[in-house]
Each structure stands twice: as structure tokens, then as C-alpha cells.
Amino acid sequence: MRAGRQPQLVLTLVASALLLAGCETQPLLKMVGVGGSSSGSSSGSSSIFSKTVVPANAPLPEAASREWADAEMDVNSYRVAGWGLVSMPAMQAYLNKLYASVKAAGGKPDWPGSVYILADPALRATSTAAGNVFISLGWLRTISSEDEMSALLAHEFGHVYLNHHAGHEVGNTADTVSWVSAAIWMIVNRKVPSVGMNGVYAISGVRALGSGVAMPAWQRSQEGEADHFGTSLSLRQGYSYTQGFKLFLEHIESYDSQLRGEAAVAAQVATENARKQVTQTSTEQAKRMQDNGKDVTGLSKKLGELQVTVSESAFDIQTAIAEALGQAKGKVTDNHDSAASREDELSKAVIPLMAGKPRPVARVDVWKAAMRQSETAEVLDKYALLPGIDEALARKNFTKAQQLSKQAASGLTANDALPLYYQQMVFGMNQPGYTLADVYFRHAKAKERSWKFELMLASMVVRRDKALGREIAESQFNYFRKAPPAWPDMIVFYRENGFIDQARALSRDCALSMPSYRTVCIDSAKTDSEKAAEQAAADRKTKQVVDKMFKKK
């Protein structure tokens, strides 16, 4: 992301509301595995591990016992989250070879788990209770050597080995899941104020929402434990510390700093733009009232001026509430140390172990060779075109945007969700009669499908043909084996499109079969009138209690 790009600023702003509320070995955002925790199959307790880098000639701490999460459901949960996964067979084979080496260094060569690639340009990485590791396209483009990639994998394996997933259940994330789902539907269905909501904002917002499935951050101690344990494995494998773990943490810190800076600029730009638009609209209304030739008393002028003031004040109130909510969520979940402090602590433990020993040479060439592999390079290059589409749209250069979107959704990425979404949005913005049929059938042939993308298409189709839209949504829900994170989305789809009985039935099934999702599923099925009635009942009850407390005797 570049601070000077308007769409990217919007993306950062929307992401700030979501991602800073979240997670991951992404800067600021340490993402707990959706699949691992959603299965509820992680058992036992975390290993007791002091933050110490274990010398190569010393035994590692004993791994805690655990029951592995369902591997297929785990992967499906990530296909459901965000824009899903990217098919990159050659790169995945290389990464799985590195991961196997990490497991062997930890004395667990037979443990389950593979590496998958997230369709996300940000820096994200996570491990799950199934032993799987998910790494974003953003990390692939950022990492500069095999040493650093092995460090990332060793860090994530550290969470697995030390059984950190045992303390993180999906129940902790139910509110966030509901929040994200509601925000996605708000954008998809255009149920937002017109302020600033054009195609550029829509594409940036949905992209940010799709990429940021917010999950709780690891605890400070667990991040440090994973760093130290992972470094122990990295040094045993003969990798460079300075070009491995140290650089890995430096990249996180750099990205964190960039996100914070861009979020601040984005908030300022978006606020000013929205305020100007609200003020302009209200001023135009006031002028029309004044120009009607009948404002003898000047009353219309005063009312018009009042409208401007009220509109500005309302916007300020909404902005303040949004900022307060974002800060509150950030305080709850952004609870891991900065990457810089983690690096300082880790270096103090590593430097004594390196004294008097030769420094390993970073394995740069083998990493570059893996990145140059033809299929890998093509996929990375195609996804790298997407920011250019943002920029073209910001400049209202629709011809350039169409050209880039066609190029991005071609070849090996012709059927991928994110490039296809860009193409559909760009052409849909300029061709009202643009058909979704081709996009839908193309994505159906993708090697890796995206639930969010399929649901967006279903939501568009259902406006014209309710039966067909419902059929599409239900078929995809079944295709992804009804992965837990998809249930709230499906319930919301039913409710928003008038299938109230189906929403309630699915909500009951969810509450019975997945206790961790009980609250979010029940809430997702409630209509606006039901929520209003509940609030009114709660208000009446509160009033009764207060009246009773202060009743005169």
C-alpha cells in the first residue's frame, strides 16, 4: 500500500476497523487459525515453555498432548474466510518441504499439517490446531531468503508445538464474525449512506473486508514463546539469524508502522471528503430553498443553514462512535508486543549462543529460484496488477482499469475470486447490463473457490431471481462442507432476502451443533423488528429496576 493512493487509503481505513480489531503474524494482526479453533478439537493445555532459545545440543521441551483438528474442515474454513486460497502447486511443494524440515528439527516429523497460500496481498500468516500453516501472497513477495521463510514457518510451528491453540476457542470471536458478516452484507447490498460510496470505495471496502477475517490476537507471552522456540529450530537447521528471524520481525515492524501511518492519513482524508460531501449536499438544499422566491421571512434560509449544521454534527457523531468502537476492539485484541520489542528480546537470547561461531550465509539463491518458477511467477505477477486497478479507478481511467482487470483475470488466475471480482466490478461500473453468468461459471471451474465471492454473486442474482440466488448460495454452502465460519453468512443471506423460516431453522441447527457459534448464529437470524422489540423490552426492564430502586417508601 502507498500512502498517496486514494483507493488504498480507503482500503486501509476499512481494514483498520477490521484488522486492527484482529490478529496475526501479520503485523498488528496475529491471526489464530479459523479452522483449528472452529473445530473445537484442540485439547489439553499449552506447553510450559520459558522464553529461552534452546541450544542445539539441549533437549526441547516436551510437546503437550493434543487431539488434532479435522484437516479437511480446517482448510475449508480458510476457503470460506476472506478471498480463499490460491492454487500454486510448485510453491506449495517447496514450502511443504521446508515445513517438513521444521517439523523434523522439532522432533515431530510425523505430525500432520501442510502449507497453504492465502489470496491476500497483506502480510498474513497463521497456524491452526490441525497443524496447517497459511501464508499470504504478501509474505511471498516480501520475504528475501529461505532463511526468512523458514523462520516464519518455525514461528507458526512453535504455536502448534506449544499447543497455543488450546486456549483460543471460536467462541471468543463470535461477535467479530457477526460484525464482519454484517459489514460485508452492508457493502454488497449497498445499505450504506451514499457519502463516498462509489465503485472505488466499494472495491476497496469489499477487498479489505474479504481479506480481514478478524481473529483474537495471541497473548504476549505466547508470541514470545513462538519466537524463541522457532528460533531454536531455525538455528538447529543452520539458518542465518540476522537474515532469518531477525529480518522476519523487522518486516513485521516495518509493515506495522506503515499501517499505522496510512490508517491515520486515511482517516483524515475520508473524514474530510465525507464532511465536504455532506456539507455540499445540505448547502445545495438550502440554496434551492432560498431560490424558490417565496422566502419572504427568511425562514427557509435559516432552516437551510440549520440543515448544514445538523448534517455536519451528525457526521461528527457517527465518526466519533466508529472511532470509539474501533479503539475498543483494538484494546481487547491487539495484545501482543511490537515486533521491535520482540526482536530486541530475542536478540538478547540469541547473541550469546552465536559467540565465536561462524555466521551462516543466507540461502538467497534457492528462494529466488522458487519465486522464478514459471507458474509461481505468473500468479504473483497477476495479483500484483490489482493495486494498479485501484489507482486507475481513482484517476477515473476506466479504460486502463478494464485493461488491467482483464489481464489480472487471465491465464492461471482466470478463475480466481479476487481478480474476477475486480473484473466484475470494473465492467459492472461502466456497463449496467453486464452479466454475472460468465463470472459465476468461470469461478465454478477455479481450482480454489472462494465462499465470499460465491455469496456475493448469489446476493446479486437473488435481487433478480430469488429462487436461483438461493440455489446458488445453498449449493456453495454444501460445497464447502458447511464450514463453521460460513453459517452466520448463510443465515444473514436467508434473513436479508426474506427467507426468514430458513434463517431461523439454520440458526437453531447451528446453536445445537456448534456451541461456540450459538450466539452469533441466533443473532444473525433476528430481523430488525425483533432486535428493536428485544431492546424495548430490555429498556422497560431497566426502567422497572431503576424505578424500584428509587421508589419512595
Side-chain angles (χ1 to χ4, degrees):
M1 290 182 282
R2 298 285 191 273
R5 295 180 181 173
Q6 175 71 8
Q8 292 291 63
L9 291 178
V10 176
L11 187 153
T12 307
L13 177 64
V14 178
S16 297
L18 291 173
L19 302 181
L20 294 184
C23 53
E24 112 179 14
T25 295
Q26 102 186 2
L28 300 179
L29 324 161
K30 172 66 193 172
M31 188 161 66
V32 175
V34 178
S37 41
S38 67
S39 68
S41 58
S42 178
S43 62
S45 59
S46 298
S47 294
I48 298 176
F49 178 70
S50 60
K51 289 192 286 187
T52 303
V53 177
V54 182
N57 59 356
L60 294 169
E62 190 65 31
S65 61
R66 83 279 315 280
E67 182 181 345
W68 297 101
D70 180 270
E72 185 178 358
M73 185 63 74
D74 185 67
V75 177
N76 273 337
S77 292
Y78 275 89
R79 291 189 174 104
V80 164
W83 292 103
L85 307 178
V86 180
S87 177
M88 300 176 70
M91 175 55 73
Q92 284 178 259
Y94 169 68
L95 295 178
N96 277 310
K97 182 178 179 181
L98 293 183
Y99 192 36
S101 179
V102 169
K103 293 179 192 176
K108 303 296 180 182
D110 298 328
W111 272 14
S114 299
V115 182
Y116 297 88
I117 299 170
L118 299 168
D120 196 327
L123 299 191
R124 304 199 205 309
T126 184
S127 56
T128 71
N132 292 321
V133 174
F134 296 83
I135 299 174
S136 69
L137 290 170
W139 265 120
L140 295 184
R141 298 190 69 88
T142 299
I143 283 175
S144 58
S145 71
E146 184 176 280
D147 305 64
E148 189 178 1
M149 176 54 74
S150 182
L152 188 158
L153 292 171
H155 172 91
E156 294 303 335
F157 181 68
H159 286 302
V160 176
Y161 188 97
L162 300 173
N163 205 24
H164 288 162
H165 304 90
H168 295 273
E169 297 298 330
V170 157
N172 297 330
T173 72
D175 290 342
T176 301
V177 172
S178 180
W179 180 40
V180 171
S181 297
I184 288 174
W185 278 103
M186 182 173 64
I187 287 181
V188 171
N189 293 324
R190 303 297 190 270
K191 293 183 178 178
V192 292
S194 59
V195 177
M197 191 60 190
N198 54 33
V200 177
Y201 281 63
I203 207 169
S204 300
V206 173
R207 180 178 172 188
L209 287 167
S211 69
V213 178
M215 293 293 161
W218 293 110
Q219 296 175 6
R220 284 187 172 89
S221 61
Q222 292 179 334
E223 275 297 343
E225 289 173 5
D227 287 340
H228 285 71
F229 183 84
T231 300
S232 301
L233 302 187
S234 183
L235 295 179
R236 288 172 184 236
Q237 294 175 270
Y239 285 114
S240 166
Y241 170 69
T242 56
Q243 297 302 307
F245 245 98
K246 187 174 186 295
L247 188 56
F248 163 61
L249 292 174
E250 286 174 354
H251 276 139
I252 293 179
E253 179 61 26
S254 175
Y255 189 70
D256 274 357
S257 178
Q258 181 182 347
L259 277 182
R260 291 188 180 99
E262 290 182 356
V265 174
Q268 181 179 357
V269 171
T271 298
E272 289 305 315
N273 286 346
R275 188 193 305 278
K276 287 177 183 177
Q277 186 164 343
V278 169
T279 303
Q280 179 182 353
T281 301
S282 299
T283 303
E284 289 173 353
Q285 291 174 351
K287 189 175 186 302
R288 284 195 296 271
M289 295 172 71
Q290 296 171 35
D291 293 342
N292 64 15
K294 299 178 181 179
D295 188 17
V296 179
T297 64
L299 178 60
S300 293
K301 180 180 179 180
K302 292 296 183 183
L303 290 175
E305 291 173 349
L306 178 61
Q307 177 63 37
V308 175
T309 303
V310 170
S311 296
E312 288 182 329
S313 299
F315 179 76
D316 289 339
I317 292 171
Q318 292 171 4
T319 301
I321 292 173
E323 289 178 354
L325 287 173
Q327 291 172 1
K329 287 181 176 292
K331 290 177 182 178
V332 170
T333 54
D334 182 21
N335 58 2
H336 58 280
D337 290 334
S338 70
S341 62
R342 288 164 55 192
E343 181 197 332
D344 288 343
E345 184 178 32
L346 188 59
S347 292
K348 290 177 182 177
V350 172
I351 290 175
L353 299 179
M354 298 171 60
K357 297 181 180 179
R359 304 295 173 89
V361 177
R363 305 175 197 182
V364 176
D365 291 342
V366 65
W367 173 251
K368 287 184 176 180
M371 291 288 284
R372 284 196 302 265
Q373 195 275 337
S374 59
E375 293 182 356
T376 296
E378 179 183 343
V379 171
L380 290 172
D381 288 344
K382 293 293 176 61
Y383 275 89
L385 296 172
L386 301 184
I389 302 175
D390 284 340
E391 185 171 342
L393 289 174
R395 298 177 182 276
K396 297 184 179 181
N397 188 343
F398 298 116
T399 300
K400 181 68 172 179
Q402 289 180 351
Q403 177 187 354
L404 290 175
S405 66
K406 282 185 177 180
Q407 189 177 350
S410 66
L412 294 176
T413 58
N415 304 321
D416 284 16
L418 189 51
L420 272 180
Y421 178 77
Y422 265 80
Q423 188 177 77
Q424 179 273 322
M425 176 64 77
V426 169
F427 280 85
M429 285 169 58
N430 297 280
Q431 298 179 17
Y434 183 75
T435 177
L436 298 174
D438 179 58
V439 176
Y440 174 75
F441 287 114
R442 280 174 63 179
H443 188 56
K445 296 184 291 186
K447 293 181 180 179
E448 285 290 355
R449 293 194 202 176
S450 163
W451 160 251
K452 296 294 188 207
F453 184 71
E454 296 283 2
L455 198 59
M456 286 181 200
L457 292 178
S459 72
M460 295 175 187
V461 172
V462 79
R463 295 171 193 164
R464 307 171 190 175
D465 187 329
K466 295 194 72 170
L468 179 59
R470 175 181 169 182
E471 181 182 344
I472 291 174
E474 290 176 343
S475 67
Q476 294 309 306
F477 187 51
N478 291 322
Y479 173 83
F480 289 103
R481 282 190 59 203
K482 300 181 179 180
W487 285 64
D489 288 343
M490 192 67 207
I491 294 169
V492 171
F493 176 87
Y494 278 143
R495 190 199 73 221
E496 289 287 330
N497 292 291
F499 305 111
I500 304 301
D501 291 341
Q502 287 76 12
R504 290 170 177 165
L506 189 60
S507 174
R508 288 193 295 270
D509 290 345
C510 173
L512 291 173
S513 60
M514 297 185 296
S516 294
Y517 275 81
R518 181 179 184 278
T519 300
V520 66
C521 285
I522 290 175
D523 288 344
S524 296
K526 293 176 182 175
T527 63
D528 291 341
S529 60
E530 288 173 332
K531 292 178 181 178
E534 286 186 358
Q535 184 61 51
D539 291 343
R540 287 194 299 271
K541 181 64 175 177
T542 301
K543 186 177 184 303
Q544 291 173 2
V545 172
V546 172
D547 289 346
K548 185 175 181 180
M549 289 176 61
F550 292 95
K551 185 177 180 180
K552 292 183 179 181
K553 296 183 179 179

Short mmCIF file of all heavy atoms in Angstrom, two decimals, residues 85-88 119 137 374-386 404-423 439 442-443 445-448 453:
data_model
loop_
_atom_site.label_atom_id
_atom_site.label_comp_id
_atom_site.label_asym_id
_atom_site.label_seq_id
_atom_site.Cartn_x
_atom_site.Cartn_y
_atom_site.Cartn_z
N LEU A 85 -8.16 -19.34 -0.92
CA LEU A 85 -6.79 -19.77 -1.15
C LEU A 85 -6.40 -19.59 -2.62
O LEU A 85 -7.25 -19.41 -3.48
CB LEU A 85 -6.63 -21.24 -0.75
CG LEU A 85 -7.09 -21.61 0.66
CD1 LEU A 85 -6.91 -23.11 0.90
CD2 LEU A 85 -6.34 -20.80 1.71
N VAL A 86 -5.10 -19.66 -2.86
CA VAL A 86 -4.56 -19.56 -4.22
C VAL A 86 -3.89 -20.89 -4.57
O VAL A 86 -3.14 -21.44 -3.75
CB VAL A 86 -3.53 -18.42 -4.35
CG1 VAL A 86 -2.99 -18.35 -5.77
CG2 VAL A 86 -4.15 -17.10 -3.96
N SER A 87 -4.14 -21.38 -5.75
CA SER A 87 -3.50 -22.62 -6.20
C SER A 87 -2.13 -22.29 -6.79
O SER A 87 -2.03 -21.65 -7.84
CB SER A 87 -4.38 -23.30 -7.26
OG SER A 87 -3.73 -24.46 -7.75
N MET A 88 -1.08 -22.71 -6.09
CA MET A 88 0.30 -22.52 -6.54
C MET A 88 1.07 -23.80 -6.23
O MET A 88 1.87 -23.85 -5.28
CB MET A 88 0.93 -21.31 -5.83
CG MET A 88 0.21 -19.99 -6.09
SD MET A 88 0.91 -18.59 -5.17
CE MET A 88 2.49 -18.37 -6.02
N ALA A 119 -5.13 -15.88 -0.58
CA ALA A 119 -5.30 -14.88 -1.64
C ALA A 119 -5.38 -13.50 -1.01
O ALA A 119 -6.44 -12.87 -0.98
CB ALA A 119 -6.55 -15.17 -2.46
N LEU A 137 -0.03 -14.14 0.03
CA LEU A 137 0.76 -13.73 -1.13
C LEU A 137 1.69 -12.57 -0.75
O LEU A 137 2.80 -12.46 -1.28
CB LEU A 137 -0.17 -13.28 -2.27
CG LEU A 137 -0.98 -14.38 -2.96
CD1 LEU A 137 -2.02 -13.74 -3.89
CD2 LEU A 137 -0.07 -15.31 -3.77
N SER A 374 8.00 -20.74 -13.25
CA SER A 374 7.10 -20.07 -14.20
C SER A 374 5.68 -19.88 -13.69
O SER A 374 5.12 -18.77 -13.75
CB SER A 374 7.08 -20.84 -15.53
OG SER A 374 6.64 -22.18 -15.32
N GLU A 375 5.06 -20.93 -13.17
CA GLU A 375 3.68 -20.81 -12.70
C GLU A 375 3.58 -19.89 -11.48
O GLU A 375 2.65 -19.08 -11.37
CB GLU A 375 3.11 -22.19 -12.38
CG GLU A 375 2.93 -23.08 -13.60
CD GLU A 375 2.31 -24.42 -13.25
OE1 GLU A 375 2.11 -24.67 -12.03
OE2 GLU A 375 2.03 -25.20 -14.17
N THR A 376 4.54 -20.04 -10.57
CA THR A 376 4.56 -19.19 -9.38
C THR A 376 4.70 -17.72 -9.76
O THR A 376 3.97 -16.86 -9.26
CB THR A 376 5.72 -19.60 -8.45
OG1 THR A 376 5.51 -20.94 -7.98
CG2 THR A 376 5.83 -18.65 -7.26
N ALA A 377 5.64 -17.45 -10.65
CA ALA A 377 5.88 -16.07 -11.07
C ALA A 377 4.65 -15.48 -11.76
O ALA A 377 4.31 -14.30 -11.55
CB ALA A 377 7.09 -16.01 -12.01
N GLU A 378 3.96 -16.28 -12.57
CA GLU A 378 2.78 -15.76 -13.27
C GLU A 378 1.67 -15.39 -12.29
O GLU A 378 1.07 -14.31 -12.40
CB GLU A 378 2.24 -16.79 -14.27
CG GLU A 378 1.00 -16.30 -15.00
CD GLU A 378 0.40 -17.32 -15.95
OE1 GLU A 378 1.10 -18.29 -16.32
OE2 GLU A 378 -0.78 -17.14 -16.33
N VAL A 379 1.41 -16.25 -11.32
CA VAL A 379 0.35 -15.97 -10.35
C VAL A 379 0.69 -14.71 -9.55
O VAL A 379 -0.17 -13.83 -9.36
CB VAL A 379 0.15 -17.17 -9.40
CG1 VAL A 379 -0.80 -16.79 -8.26
CG2 VAL A 379 -0.40 -18.36 -10.17
N LEU A 380 1.91 -14.60 -9.09
CA LEU A 380 2.32 -13.42 -8.32
C LEU A 380 2.20 -12.15 -9.15
O LEU A 380 1.75 -11.11 -8.66
CB LEU A 380 3.75 -13.60 -7.80
CG LEU A 380 3.94 -14.65 -6.71
CD1 LEU A 380 5.42 -14.87 -6.44
CD2 LEU A 380 3.23 -14.23 -5.43
N ASP A 381 2.61 -12.23 -10.41
CA ASP A 381 2.54 -11.05 -11.28
C ASP A 381 1.10 -10.62 -11.53
O ASP A 381 0.80 -9.43 -11.60
CB ASP A 381 3.24 -11.34 -12.62
CG ASP A 381 4.76 -11.42 -12.48
OD1 ASP A 381 5.27 -10.96 -11.44
OD2 ASP A 381 5.42 -11.94 -13.40
N LYS A 382 0.21 -11.59 -11.69
CA LYS A 382 -1.20 -11.25 -11.95
C LYS A 382 -1.83 -10.55 -10.74
O LYS A 382 -2.54 -9.55 -10.88
CB LYS A 382 -1.99 -12.51 -12.30
CG LYS A 382 -1.58 -13.16 -13.62
CD LYS A 382 -1.94 -12.30 -14.81
CE LYS A 382 -1.46 -12.88 -16.13
NZ LYS A 382 -2.05 -14.20 -16.40
N TYR A 383 -1.57 -11.07 -9.56
CA TYR A 383 -2.12 -10.44 -8.35
C TYR A 383 -1.47 -9.07 -8.10
O TYR A 383 -2.10 -8.19 -7.50
CB TYR A 383 -1.93 -11.34 -7.14
CG TYR A 383 -3.04 -12.36 -6.98
CD1 TYR A 383 -2.96 -13.60 -7.59
CD2 TYR A 383 -4.17 -12.08 -6.22
CE1 TYR A 383 -3.98 -14.55 -7.46
CE2 TYR A 383 -5.19 -13.01 -6.08
CZ TYR A 383 -5.09 -14.24 -6.71
OH TYR A 383 -6.11 -15.16 -6.57
N ALA A 384 -0.25 -8.89 -8.57
CA ALA A 384 0.42 -7.61 -8.40
C ALA A 384 -0.21 -6.50 -9.23
O ALA A 384 0.05 -5.31 -9.00
CB ALA A 384 1.90 -7.74 -8.76
N LEU A 385 -1.07 -6.86 -10.18
CA LEU A 385 -1.75 -5.86 -11.01
C LEU A 385 -2.91 -5.19 -10.29
O LEU A 385 -3.36 -4.11 -10.70
CB LEU A 385 -2.28 -6.52 -12.30
CG LEU A 385 -1.24 -7.09 -13.27
CD1 LEU A 385 -1.96 -7.86 -14.37
CD2 LEU A 385 -0.39 -5.98 -13.86
N LEU A 386 -3.42 -5.81 -9.24
CA LEU A 386 -4.64 -5.32 -8.60
C LEU A 386 -4.51 -3.90 -8.03
O LEU A 386 -5.43 -3.09 -8.20
CB LEU A 386 -5.09 -6.30 -7.51
CG LEU A 386 -5.38 -7.72 -8.01
CD1 LEU A 386 -5.91 -8.59 -6.87
CD2 LEU A 386 -6.35 -7.73 -9.17
N LEU A 404 -6.34 -3.69 -17.21
CA LEU A 404 -5.63 -4.39 -16.13
C LEU A 404 -6.47 -5.52 -15.54
O LEU A 404 -5.94 -6.58 -15.19
CB LEU A 404 -5.24 -3.40 -15.04
CG LEU A 404 -4.15 -2.39 -15.39
CD1 LEU A 404 -3.95 -1.40 -14.25
CD2 LEU A 404 -2.83 -3.10 -15.70
N SER A 405 -7.78 -5.29 -15.40
CA SER A 405 -8.64 -6.31 -14.81
C SER A 405 -8.73 -7.54 -15.71
O SER A 405 -8.76 -8.68 -15.23
CB SER A 405 -10.03 -5.76 -14.52
OG SER A 405 -10.72 -5.43 -15.71
N LYS A 406 -8.75 -7.32 -17.02
CA LYS A 406 -8.75 -8.45 -17.97
C LYS A 406 -7.44 -9.23 -17.85
O LYS A 406 -7.43 -10.46 -17.88
CB LYS A 406 -8.92 -7.94 -19.40
CG LYS A 406 -10.34 -7.58 -19.78
CD LYS A 406 -10.41 -7.20 -21.26
CE LYS A 406 -11.83 -6.90 -21.70
NZ LYS A 406 -11.89 -6.53 -23.13
N GLN A 407 -6.35 -8.48 -17.74
CA GLN A 407 -5.04 -9.13 -17.65
C GLN A 407 -4.91 -9.91 -16.34
O GLN A 407 -4.36 -11.02 -16.32
CB GLN A 407 -3.95 -8.06 -17.74
CG GLN A 407 -2.53 -8.62 -17.87
CD GLN A 407 -1.50 -7.52 -18.03
OE1 GLN A 407 -1.85 -6.35 -18.23
NE2 GLN A 407 -0.23 -7.89 -17.93
N ALA A 408 -5.41 -9.32 -15.24
CA ALA A 408 -5.31 -9.99 -13.94
C ALA A 408 -6.12 -11.27 -13.92
O ALA A 408 -5.70 -12.28 -13.33
CB ALA A 408 -5.77 -9.05 -12.83
N ALA A 409 -7.29 -11.25 -14.54
CA ALA A 409 -8.17 -12.44 -14.57
C ALA A 409 -7.96 -13.20 -15.86
O ALA A 409 -8.88 -13.41 -16.65
CB ALA A 409 -9.62 -12.01 -14.42
N SER A 410 -6.73 -13.63 -16.08
CA SER A 410 -6.40 -14.40 -17.28
C SER A 410 -5.34 -15.44 -16.95
O SER A 410 -4.74 -15.41 -15.87
CB SER A 410 -5.88 -13.47 -18.38
OG SER A 410 -4.64 -12.89 -18.00
N GLY A 411 -5.13 -16.37 -17.85
CA GLY A 411 -4.12 -17.39 -17.62
C GLY A 411 -4.41 -18.22 -16.38
O GLY A 411 -5.53 -18.67 -16.17
N LEU A 412 -3.41 -18.39 -15.54
CA LEU A 412 -3.55 -19.23 -14.35
C LEU A 412 -4.50 -18.64 -13.32
O LEU A 412 -5.00 -19.36 -12.44
CB LEU A 412 -2.18 -19.45 -13.71
CG LEU A 412 -1.17 -20.28 -14.53
CD1 LEU A 412 0.17 -20.35 -13.83
CD2 LEU A 412 -1.71 -21.68 -14.79
N THR A 413 -4.76 -17.34 -13.38
CA THR A 413 -5.67 -16.70 -12.42
C THR A 413 -7.00 -16.32 -13.06
O THR A 413 -7.75 -15.50 -12.50
CB THR A 413 -5.02 -15.44 -11.81
OG1 THR A 413 -4.69 -14.53 -12.88
CG2 THR A 413 -3.75 -15.80 -11.05
N ALA A 414 -7.30 -16.89 -14.21
CA ALA A 414 -8.52 -16.53 -14.95
C ALA A 414 -9.79 -16.76 -14.15
O ALA A 414 -10.78 -16.05 -14.33
CB ALA A 414 -8.59 -17.32 -16.26
N ASN A 415 -9.77 -17.75 -13.25
CA ASN A 415 -10.97 -18.10 -12.50
C ASN A 415 -10.87 -17.78 -11.01
O ASN A 415 -11.77 -18.13 -10.24
CB ASN A 415 -11.27 -19.59 -12.68
CG ASN A 415 -11.40 -19.98 -14.14
OD1 ASN A 415 -11.95 -19.22 -14.95
ND2 ASN A 415 -10.88 -21.15 -14.50
N ASP A 416 -9.78 -17.13 -10.61
CA ASP A 416 -9.58 -16.81 -9.19
C ASP A 416 -10.56 -15.74 -8.73
O ASP A 416 -10.88 -14.80 -9.47
CB ASP A 416 -8.15 -16.34 -8.94
CG ASP A 416 -7.16 -17.50 -8.94
OD1 ASP A 416 -7.52 -18.58 -9.44
OD2 ASP A 416 -6.01 -17.31 -8.48
N ALA A 417 -10.99 -15.84 -7.49
CA ALA A 417 -12.04 -14.96 -6.97
C ALA A 417 -11.68 -13.48 -6.98
O ALA A 417 -12.45 -12.65 -7.48
CB ALA A 417 -12.40 -15.39 -5.54
N LEU A 418 -10.53 -13.12 -6.42
CA LEU A 418 -10.21 -11.70 -6.30
C LEU A 418 -10.01 -11.02 -7.66
O LEU A 418 -10.59 -9.95 -7.90
CB LEU A 418 -8.98 -11.51 -5.40
CG LEU A 418 -8.65 -10.07 -4.99
CD1 LEU A 418 -9.87 -9.37 -4.41
CD2 LEU A 418 -7.49 -10.05 -3.99
N PRO A 419 -9.24 -11.59 -8.59
CA PRO A 419 -9.15 -10.98 -9.92
C PRO A 419 -10.51 -10.92 -10.62
O PRO A 419 -10.82 -9.93 -11.28
CB PRO A 419 -8.18 -11.90 -10.67
CG PRO A 419 -7.33 -12.51 -9.60
CD PRO A 419 -8.28 -12.71 -8.45
N LEU A 420 -11.32 -11.97 -10.46
CA LEU A 420 -12.65 -11.97 -11.08
C LEU A 420 -13.55 -10.90 -10.47
O LEU A 420 -14.35 -10.27 -11.17
CB LEU A 420 -13.32 -13.34 -10.92
CG LEU A 420 -13.04 -14.37 -12.00
CD1 LEU A 420 -13.78 -15.67 -11.69
CD2 LEU A 420 -13.44 -13.86 -13.37
N TYR A 421 -13.43 -10.71 -9.15
CA TYR A 421 -14.24 -9.68 -8.52
C TYR A 421 -13.88 -8.30 -9.08
O TYR A 421 -14.75 -7.47 -9.35
CB TYR A 421 -14.08 -9.68 -7.01
CG TYR A 421 -14.89 -8.58 -6.38
CD1 TYR A 421 -16.26 -8.71 -6.23
CD2 TYR A 421 -14.29 -7.38 -6.00
CE1 TYR A 421 -17.03 -7.69 -5.71
CE2 TYR A 421 -15.05 -6.35 -5.47
CZ TYR A 421 -16.42 -6.51 -5.33
OH TYR A 421 -17.17 -5.48 -4.82
N TYR A 422 -12.59 -8.06 -9.25
CA TYR A 422 -12.16 -6.79 -9.84
C TYR A 422 -12.74 -6.62 -11.24
O TYR A 422 -13.24 -5.56 -11.60
CB TYR A 422 -10.64 -6.73 -9.89
CG TYR A 422 -10.02 -6.03 -8.71
CD1 TYR A 422 -9.86 -6.69 -7.49
CD2 TYR A 422 -9.61 -4.72 -8.81
CE1 TYR A 422 -9.30 -6.05 -6.41
CE2 TYR A 422 -9.04 -4.06 -7.72
CZ TYR A 422 -8.89 -4.73 -6.52
OH TYR A 422 -8.35 -4.09 -5.45
N GLN A 423 -12.66 -7.68 -12.02
CA GLN A 423 -13.17 -7.59 -13.38
C GLN A 423 -14.67 -7.32 -13.39
O GLN A 423 -15.18 -6.47 -14.13
CB GLN A 423 -12.86 -8.87 -14.15
CG GLN A 423 -13.21 -8.76 -15.64
CD GLN A 423 -12.83 -10.01 -16.40
OE1 GLN A 423 -13.53 -11.02 -16.34
NE2 GLN A 423 -11.72 -9.97 -17.11
N VAL A 439 -19.00 -14.78 -15.14
CA VAL A 439 -18.16 -14.72 -13.95
C VAL A 439 -18.44 -15.92 -13.03
O VAL A 439 -17.53 -16.57 -12.52
CB VAL A 439 -18.40 -13.41 -13.17
CG1 VAL A 439 -17.60 -13.39 -11.88
CG2 VAL A 439 -18.02 -12.22 -14.04
N ARG A 442 -17.16 -19.20 -14.58
CA ARG A 442 -15.70 -19.23 -14.58
C ARG A 442 -15.17 -19.60 -13.20
O ARG A 442 -14.29 -20.46 -13.07
CB ARG A 442 -15.14 -17.88 -15.03
CG ARG A 442 -15.14 -17.68 -16.53
CD ARG A 442 -14.71 -16.28 -16.91
NE ARG A 442 -13.35 -15.99 -16.50
CZ ARG A 442 -12.75 -14.82 -16.74
NH1 ARG A 442 -13.43 -13.84 -17.35
NH2 ARG A 442 -11.50 -14.61 -16.36
N HIS A 443 -15.70 -18.96 -12.17
CA HIS A 443 -15.21 -19.25 -10.82
C HIS A 443 -15.56 -20.68 -10.40
O HIS A 443 -14.84 -21.28 -9.61
CB HIS A 443 -15.77 -18.27 -9.81
CG HIS A 443 -15.15 -18.40 -8.45
ND1 HIS A 443 -13.80 -18.32 -8.24
CD2 HIS A 443 -15.70 -18.64 -7.22
CE1 HIS A 443 -13.53 -18.49 -6.97
NE2 HIS A 443 -14.67 -18.70 -6.32
N LYS A 445 -15.12 -23.15 -12.04
CA LYS A 445 -14.05 -24.00 -12.57
C LYS A 445 -12.71 -23.75 -11.89
O LYS A 445 -11.71 -24.38 -12.23
CB LYS A 445 -13.90 -23.75 -14.08
CG LYS A 445 -15.11 -24.15 -14.91
CD LYS A 445 -14.87 -23.98 -16.39
CE LYS A 445 -14.76 -22.54 -16.78
NZ LYS A 445 -14.67 -22.35 -18.25
N ALA A 446 -12.68 -22.83 -10.93
CA ALA A 446 -11.43 -22.50 -10.24
C ALA A 446 -10.92 -23.68 -9.43
O ALA A 446 -11.69 -24.45 -8.86
CB ALA A 446 -11.65 -21.29 -9.33
N LYS A 447 -9.61 -23.80 -9.36
CA LYS A 447 -9.01 -24.85 -8.54
C LYS A 447 -9.23 -24.58 -7.06
O LYS A 447 -9.27 -25.50 -6.24
CB LYS A 447 -7.51 -24.95 -8.85
CG LYS A 447 -7.22 -25.43 -10.27
CD LYS A 447 -5.72 -25.53 -10.52
CE LYS A 447 -5.44 -26.00 -11.94
NZ LYS A 447 -3.99 -26.07 -12.22
N GLU A 448 -9.34 -23.30 -6.72
CA GLU A 448 -9.63 -22.91 -5.34
C GLU A 448 -10.79 -21.92 -5.36
O GLU A 448 -10.65 -20.79 -5.84
CB GLU A 448 -8.41 -22.27 -4.67
CG GLU A 448 -7.32 -23.23 -4.28
CD GLU A 448 -7.71 -24.13 -3.11
OE1 GLU A 448 -8.81 -23.93 -2.55
OE2 GLU A 448 -6.91 -25.02 -2.77
N PHE A 453 -16.89 -14.85 -2.39
CA PHE A 453 -17.15 -14.45 -3.76
C PHE A 453 -18.44 -15.08 -4.27
O PHE A 453 -19.28 -14.42 -4.89
CB PHE A 453 -15.98 -14.84 -4.66
CG PHE A 453 -16.11 -14.38 -6.08
CD1 PHE A 453 -16.00 -13.04 -6.40
CD2 PHE A 453 -16.36 -15.29 -7.10
CE1 PHE A 453 -16.12 -12.61 -7.72
CE2 PHE A 453 -16.48 -14.87 -8.41
CZ PHE A 453 -16.37 -13.52 -8.72
#
